[in-house]
Amino acid sequence: MAVSAWNPHDRTTWLLETVWVPLGLPLAVLFRRRFPLTNLLCCLLAAHALVLAGGGHYTYAEVPVGDWVRDLLGLSRNPYDRFGHLMQGFVPAILVREVLSRTSPLCGSRWLAPLTVCACLAFSALFEMFEWAAAVIGGHSADAFLATQGDVWDTQWDMFCALIGATLSVLLLGRAHDRQLDALRSGGLGMDVR
């Protein structure tokens, strides 16, 4: 976070993109004894923080690795924004899944996966409304935050990428996540981890 905060492309965009890290990290630390997170979730949250920090520092439309991928694949736009929205579904899916598995009767239920994906899609839609509000309030100065890059379907693509990310996360990581949740439950840590 400190490196990304040093001389960002646009200070307001940096703040809007990275605010989730300084909000989430203290919560994870504050509740670590009462509600410890699985190693999988902690690693995913750290990876997502790096994606947010990079997008915040450069703006999503101008992240250098995205320019490199655009040029390599002959794309019309920097794909880092799409990757960020894929992560916006992929990582929160494990967070939502972990919270629902441990605090609701959904543990082991066939409803856990679809409700997890739906929650991630709802969050993505809410985030798009935040972006819309930023554009209305900030006018053209919101362009760096929106990273639409001239695509009239950017909002729909962003939500679709989050949907794909959440679905992939549940499908690819669900069993490994269940094993870590089982280990956490049986770890004898003396914590309330239903």
Side-chain angles (χ1 to χ4, degrees), residues 30-36 102 191-193:
L30 182 65
F31 291 107
R32 75 182 183 280
R33 291 193 192 279
R34 185 166 180 250
F35 200 89
R102 293 171 60 185
M191 299 174 193
D192 179 23
V193 289

Side-chain angles (χ1 to χ4, degrees), residues 69-83:
V69 171
R70 179 199 62 217
D71 296 342
L72 179 71
L73 300 178
L75 303 174
S76 62
R77 59 176 276 153
N78 183 319
Y80 194 84
D81 179 55
R82 300 280 193 252
F83 176 70

Side-chain angles (χ1 to χ4, degrees), residues 18-179:
T18 63
V19 68
W20 307 104
V21 178
L23 287 176
L25 184 60
L27 289 174
V29 170
L30 182 65
F31 291 107
R32 75 182 183 280
R33 291 193 192 279
R34 185 166 180 250
F35 200 89
L37 304 176
T38 59
N39 289 336
L40 175 62
L41 179 55
C42 289
C43 290
L44 288 172
L45 289 172
H48 198 194
L50 291 173
V51 171
L52 293 172
H57 180 78
Y58 293 104
T59 78
Y60 278 83
E62 298 182 25
V63 173
V65 72
D67 287 339
W68 178 77
V69 171
R70 179 199 62 217
D71 296 342
L72 179 71
L73 300 178
L75 303 174
S76 62
R77 59 176 276 153
N78 183 319
Y80 194 84
D81 179 55
R82 300 280 193 252
F83 176 70
H85 283 279
L86 187 84
M87 290 291 283
Q88 187 187 59
F90 195 87
V91 175
I94 297 301
L95 174 63
V96 169
R97 193 175 188 282
E98 188 152 324
V99 170
L100 289 177
S101 290
R102 293 171 60 185
T103 63
S104 78
L106 290 171
C107 183
S109 168
R110 282 186 255 168
W111 284 100
L112 181 60
L115 289 176
T116 295
V117 172
C118 287
C120 292
L121 191 54
F123 175 76
S124 179
L126 180 65
F127 192 79
E128 292 302 319
M129 288 184 212
F130 287 148
E131 288 186 351
W132 168 72
V136 169
I137 294 166
H140 291 295
S141 65
D143 287 345
F145 179 59
L146 294 175
T148 61
Q149 300 179 64
D151 185 356
V152 296
W153 300 105
D154 186 68
T155 299
Q156 291 78 10
W157 273 109
D158 290 349
M159 291 188 293
F160 181 68
C161 287
L163 173 64
I164 296 299
T167 304
L168 286 174
S169 183
V170 168
L171 292 174
L172 298 175
L173 301 178
R175 290 184 186 207
H177 190 222
D178 284 341
R179 285 192 297 273

